[in-house]
Amino acid sequence: MIETREKFEEYLKNFNSGNFSEFVKKYYADDAIFEKTGYTIHGADNLADHFANALSSVVKEEITLINYMEKDGLVSVELQILLTAIKDGFYIRDRKKGEKETFYDAGFYTVKNDKIAHARVYRRFCDENTMDLLKMYSQ
């Protein structure tokens, strides 16, 4: 389901749509494990709840694929994330409505039976010295 660059871009398009219940059902195994810096989520239902409530209650994430590799059921990606606060609140830190922040993720997705069984995502926050990787790789 995410075994080619084009299919992973479709995965991101579905994520960016914000319909997390359908998104998780389509892409993740029922017993999937999702690890992100600072927490681990067990099970597709908990992951859908996290995306719908913890994440999108304060921010909208727009994810762009920069690099993609697949080998033997392991998909490795580099992503650029644009967070936009849709209201004042806390997601990673306190945010004010309209505030934007860009950062990068590296993700590793284990695919079994055409679903993501395990995902591990590492985040790198940006500062004034961070190169714009999207621009760099698109030249």
Side-chain angles (χ1 to χ4, degrees):
M1 192 152 283
I2 60 170
E3 65 277 0
T4 67
R5 182 180 187 97
E6 292 75 22
K7 289 182 178 183
F8 197 88
E9 286 174 336
E10 183 68 24
Y11 164 90
L12 293 177
K13 181 180 174 186
N14 281 284
F15 178 88
N16 288 337
S17 77
N19 185 348
F20 298 114
S21 179
E22 290 301 314
F23 167 78
V24 170
K25 189 182 304 179
K26 181 176 180 178
Y27 289 100
Y28 285 85
D30 290 342
D31 60 349
I33 298 172
F34 186 90
E35 297 179 89
K36 197 158 189 175
T37 305
Y39 58 87
T40 300
I41 298 169
H42 296 268
D45 290 340
N46 292 329
L47 183 57
D49 182 63
H50 170 75
F51 287 152
N53 296 310
L55 174 68
S56 45
S57 65
V58 176
V59 297
K60 175 164 180 24
E61 255 187 349
E62 185 179 327
I63 305 173
T64 304
L65 181 62
I66 297 173
N67 285 306
Y68 175 94
M69 293 186 307
E70 187 280 334
K71 184 172 170 65
D72 300 328
L74 177 64
V75 173
S76 304
V77 296
E78 185 174 31
L79 308 167
Q80 184 181 61
I81 315 295
L82 173 62
L83 277 186
T84 302
I86 56 175
K87 69 177 188 177
D88 291 356
F90 185 87
Y91 178 72
I92 303 172
R93 61 175 177 76
D94 286 327
R95 299 187 182 275
K96 297 289 183 196
K97 183 178 179 178
E99 176 184 11
K100 295 182 182 287
E101 181 178 18
T102 300
F103 52 88
Y104 294 93
D105 280 357
F108 301 91
Y109 300 82
T110 302
V111 178
K112 293 182 181 173
N113 300 318
D114 213 28
K115 299 267 187 165
I116 298 168
H118 182 255
R120 181 175 292 133
V121 179
Y122 300 93
R123 177 158 288 168
R124 181 180 189 277
F125 293 95
C126 298
D127 61 23
E128 65 276 356
N129 298 311
T130 303
M131 294 176 12
D132 186 333
L133 296 178
L134 192 58
K135 282 184 185 176
M136 184 174 92
Y137 286 115
S138 65
Q139 294 179 356

